[in-house]
Amino acid sequence: MDGHELLVVIPAYNEEKTIARVLELLKREGVFEFADILVVDDGSLDATGQIAKDSRCLLVSHVFNLGYGSALQTGYKYALRNGYQYVIQMDADGQHDPCNIPVIYSSLREPDEAGRLPDMVLGSRFMEGSVDFPVSAAKKMAFLLFRFMIRLATGERIADPTTGLQGLNRRAFSCYAAYGRFDERYPDANMIMQMLLLHYRIRQIPAVMHARQDGQSMHAGLKPVWYMLRMFFCVLAVVFRIRVLRLDKEVQA
């Protein structure tokens, strides 16, 4: 750690067409001046890892492709072991504009009217002040379903339950770094549900995001249908584990 309390974690798998521009935009935005940048190369078969290495950011490489969630959890563990106080996660495909990073970082350190700091800050595509973001009909159905499920189980309204642009304080990413507390494949609405049920404080802010220009999304083709079915049961499993079995009661605030 180079004196910074913030670590920006970028999971990447076969993103050689976009990762260089993402890192360059982070430099232009001045993020390298107040944060360390960690690229987690999740077993890429292209030049993703080499490009990250050439950009002089931190790099951790998986020997095999372990999945998006495992790449993120590697970042959380790295942050925990190296004394960081905050983590902001963003994607390597260029959809998350680097201009969001200082805004999320500021929000993590800004108390609310009651003097409480958030444990997590979600960058939302669907709040007033967000940039218009096109989504497919299947994804719209998923958003509506997960919003409803989260609202029903927690009473909270989450505008963008599948956002991957998130900021976490040390308490939150320590929870995610623990065994069995993070989905190694598709951490999404299920993880937001988990944190709300465990009484972590979540704040939402509008974010600037762009449509993917290169490469293939992990939700391409018919994958959104499988994703929605899988996430539906994952959300139910989280509710059952915490509300019924009470397996995670020791971490509740």
Side-chain angles (χ1 to χ4, degrees):
M1 182 170 159
D2 193 22
H4 296 135
E5 65 176 3
L6 170 64
L7 181 69
V8 177
V9 175
I10 307 175
Y13 176 63
N14 292 343
E15 297 287 5
E16 65 178 8
K17 294 182 178 179
T18 57
I19 189 66
R21 176 164 174 76
V22 168
L23 295 173
E24 178 58 33
L25 289 175
L26 285 168
K27 290 180 181 178
R28 291 185 192 178
E29 196 67 34
V31 176
F32 277 74
E33 297 176 8
F34 61 85
D36 292 335
I37 313 298
L38 172 67
V39 173
V40 181
D41 178 14
D42 189 28
S44 296
L45 301 176
D46 60 11
T48 296
Q50 187 60 50
I51 293 171
K53 185 176 180 180
D54 292 343
S55 298
R56 299 183 182 278
C57 62
L58 300 169
L59 174 66
V60 173
S61 297
H62 291 167
V63 177
F64 303 104
N65 177 242
L66 299 177
Y68 175 70
S70 289
L72 280 174
Q73 193 174 52
T74 293
Y76 304 142
K77 290 179 181 293
Y78 184 97
L80 187 62
R81 292 172 183 174
N82 288 276
Y84 292 93
Q85 298 303 309
Y86 302 99
V87 164
I88 296 177
Q89 62 187 57
M90 64 178 291
D91 291 347
D93 58 11
Q95 292 194 68
H96 298 159
D97 197 296
C99 72
N100 296 297
I101 301 300
V103 180
I104 293 175
Y105 184 36
S106 177
S107 185
L108 281 166
R109 298 176 296 159
E110 181 181 351
D112 61 16
E113 295 180 354
R116 299 170 300 185
L117 292 169
D119 295 304
M120 299 174 62
V121 174
L122 307 181
S124 174
R125 293 164 286 186
F126 310 116
M127 293 177 66
E128 184 177 350
S130 303
V131 173
D132 289 340
F133 188 88
V135 294
S136 66
K139 288 185 178 180
K140 285 182 180 178
M141 288 180 59
F143 296 149
L144 291 173
L145 174 62
F146 301 145
R147 285 173 187 161
F148 173 75
M149 293 178 75
I150 292 173
R151 174 69 172 169
L152 186 65
T154 70
E156 297 290 335
R157 297 180 184 273
I158 300 296
D160 192 351
T162 68
T163 179
L165 180 62
Q166 302 181 17
L168 306 92
N169 67 10
R170 189 173 177 86
R171 177 171 176 261
F173 70 72
S174 295
C175 177
Y176 277 172
Y179 177 76
R181 296 237 171 83
F182 199 68
D183 187 335
E184 74 281 1
R185 297 301 298 179
Y186 300 117
D188 232 324
N190 54 339
M191 294 295 93
I192 292 176
M193 175 75 85
Q194 169 184 277
M195 300 308 266
L196 286 171
L197 290 175
L198 294 177
H199 306 296
Y200 285 79
R201 292 184 293 273
I202 294 181
R203 180 180 296 171
Q204 304 175 74
I205 63 173
V208 178
M209 299 194 195
H210 311 287
R212 186 185 182 102
Q213 299 298 318
D214 294 289
Q216 185 179 40
S217 170
M218 64 180 180
H219 297 312
L222 294 175
K223 290 180 181 178
V225 178
W226 162 244
Y227 159 78
M228 184 166 66
L229 289 173
R230 182 187 189 279
M231 190 56 56
F232 174 80
F233 289 107
C234 284
V235 170
L236 291 181
V238 167
V239 175
F240 183 76
R241 188 185 78 231
I242 296 174
R243 284 282 177 84
V244 179
L245 300 181
R246 299 186 181 277
L247 295 182
D248 291 329
K249 62 182 179 180
E250 72 274 10
V251 301
Q252 295 191 35

